[in-house]
Amino acid sequence: MSLSRIMKFITGGSEAFLGIPFVGGAFVLSTSWGALFVMFIAHLVTLIIARKANGSMAGSILGMITSFVGVIPVVGMTMHIITAIILLVDAIIHKQ
């Protein structure tokens, strides 16, 4: 399994956790929004790895955007769920 695929599974799973109503929001608030900063860095690392592997970068780019809008309660939850789906589907269908 490639590093790009592993990172997409990790970031996708983390986004899925953050998208859980109340639980994800409580986690983000308990870290004083530090979780969103960590996720931004994780998506940036995944983007760089995917770019070097000539893989899809869309999920990582969307994840970076999600890290910024994640501070808006309902919009953030929705974006976390959408980003998780995109990253996990991409990791599953990844052929390398």
Side-chain angles (χ1 to χ4, degrees):
M1 187 179 299
S2 70
L3 182 58
S4 174
R5 188 173 182 197
I6 292 169
M7 287 300 294
K8 288 177 185 179
F9 273 121
I10 291 170
T11 55
S14 299
E15 287 290 347
F17 171 74
L18 293 176
I20 298 171
F22 303 110
V23 175
F27 181 76
V28 170
L29 289 175
S30 72
T31 63
S32 300
W33 289 274
L36 297 178
F37 177 73
V38 170
M39 286 306 299
F40 180 84
I41 299 301
H43 287 300
L44 180 61
V45 169
T46 305
L47 175 71
I48 293 167
I49 292 169
R51 183 172 179 222
K52 288 187 179 191
N54 292 324
S56 173
M57 298 178 289
S60 297
I61 294 169
L62 182 61
M64 292 167 66
I65 294 167
T66 299
S67 296
F68 283 110
V69 300
V71 298
I72 305 169
V74 176
V75 175
M77 179 188 70
T78 305
M79 289 294 292
H80 284 304
I81 294 168
I82 292 168
T83 302
I85 291 168
I86 291 171
L87 282 165
L88 293 173
V89 167
D90 188 31
I92 291 168
I93 65 171
H94 187 75
K95 299 291 185 204
Q96 294 177 342

